[in-house]
Amino acid sequence: FPSLAVVTVIGMVLVSMFDPVSDQSTRTGLFGLAGLANIELFRGHESYFTEQAGSNAFTHLWSLGVEEQFYVLFPPLLYIVLRSKQRLTAIGILAIPTSISLIAYLWFTERGSAHASFYLLPFRFWEIGCGALLSLILGSRLSESFRFAKLIGALLFLFCLFLATSIATTIATIAIVVATALLILGTLTPTNHHQRLVEIFATIGRRAYSLYLTHWVVLVVFRLTVGTDDGRTLLAIVATVAISEVNHR
């Protein structure tokens, strides 16, 4: 929350200085501080892929809202899961809401409201639920069955590169979650020659949250001021990394 508060408050000040119509950014930022940016964007019928969303400095906080709401609702479910003495039973209990959420996501994306399935927790629960299921699988004998998980996961990632279009984003979303889970399963015990690589990724990973908070605010401020043409996007990336490092520390 301290990192979120710093980025949001400074971002709102900067946007109000350079954007004559900064109301939407300010409102989304304030809702974002309460973990409700996704609900505000849903209520405002603001699609993530429109020009309007591109000028909102806090559009990206929708995903943080989903995560925070998940962590509010998850403890009661976790309590029920952990009361089960059998690991497979616990996995089964957690798999039920995760599966229902995935089915709802597919249904609403294809036949209902894609707007709702993009922003709201019930249709995103399955993504974080897969991570929770993974944590249970890692402590069970099931994990021994995933010897080729890393290879399959890497192939799925390559597959996703060809799916990440407006035609197949639903399939790509599911594939990328499965691929991530398989890669984690396949790299449980890194060998010595992998250790240095793991440390590099861990260093980046520890800064990922700060990078996430900062990147969109910086890009929007650049658009409102100097623009993003002629290599200025690269300058925005450098600024994002530098500001994120300060925020992280």
Side-chain angles (χ1 to χ4, degrees):
F1 183 80
S3 289
L4 171 66
V6 168
V7 171
T8 303
V9 171
I10 294 176
M12 285 193 292
V13 171
L14 290 172
V15 171
S16 66
M17 288 170 61
F18 301 116
D19 187 358
V21 191
S22 60
D23 292 357
Q24 184 60 43
S25 285
T26 302
R27 188 162 58 249
T28 306
L30 290 172
F31 273 84
L33 287 172
L36 300 170
N38 59 322
I39 294 175
E40 162 60 17
L41 291 166
F42 171 73
R43 285 176 62 251
H45 302 285
E46 187 172 322
S47 172
Y48 189 72
F49 303 100
T50 62
E51 186 177 340
Q52 182 183 5
S55 61
N56 184 337
F58 303 105
T59 304
H60 64 306
L61 295 185
W62 75 268
S63 60
L64 183 62
V66 169
E67 291 168 30
E68 290 177 316
Q69 290 155 30
F70 177 90
Y71 291 125
V72 169
L73 297 176
F74 187 61
L77 179 59
L78 183 63
Y79 174 76
I80 296 171
V81 168
L82 294 180
R83 287 194 67 182
S84 173
K85 295 180 180 179
Q86 297 295 324
R87 184 64 64 113
L88 286 177
T89 303
I91 292 171
I93 293 170
L94 186 54
I96 293 171
T98 302
S99 301
I100 292 172
S101 174
L102 175 57
I103 293 168
Y105 167 75
L106 291 170
W107 176 268
F108 269 74
T109 301
E110 300 300 326
R111 302 188 181 185
S113 170
H115 192 60
S117 67
F118 186 90
Y119 281 124
L120 300 182
L121 174 64
F123 312 103
R124 292 288 187 174
F125 183 97
W126 68 272
E127 291 174 294
I128 317 178
C130 283
L133 280 170
L134 180 61
S135 71
L136 289 174
I137 292 171
L138 293 180
S140 70
R141 293 179 180 177
L142 281 175
S143 59
E144 298 173 3
S145 305
F146 291 89
R147 295 179 181 177
F148 302 104
K150 185 163 54 174
L151 175 61
I152 298 170
L155 291 173
L156 259 182
F157 266 120
L158 292 174
F159 184 55
C160 289
L161 292 176
F162 299 97
L163 289 175
T165 66
S166 57
I167 300 173
T169 48
T170 303
I171 300 171
T173 301
I174 296 170
I176 207 76
V177 172
V178 173
T180 303
L182 290 172
L183 282 172
I184 293 171
L185 275 171
T187 52
L188 294 179
T189 53
T191 57
N192 290 332
H193 65 277
H194 286 158
Q195 192 60 43
R196 182 57 184 163
L197 191 61
V198 170
E199 290 172 3
I200 292 171
F201 280 119
T203 300
I204 298 170
R206 282 190 288 270
R207 288 154 175 78
Y209 174 63
S210 187
L211 286 164
Y212 155 78
L213 289 178
T214 307
H215 82 283
W216 192 249
V217 179
V218 172
L219 191 59
V220 169
V221 171
F222 263 70
R223 286 173 179 167
L224 293 171
T225 54
V226 298
T228 54
D229 298 328
D230 303 323
R232 289 169 190 165
T233 299
L234 180 60
L235 184 60
I237 293 171
V238 173
T240 296
V241 173
I243 294 168
S244 297
E245 183 64 19
V246 173
N247 192 337
H248 171 71
R249 290 182 178 275

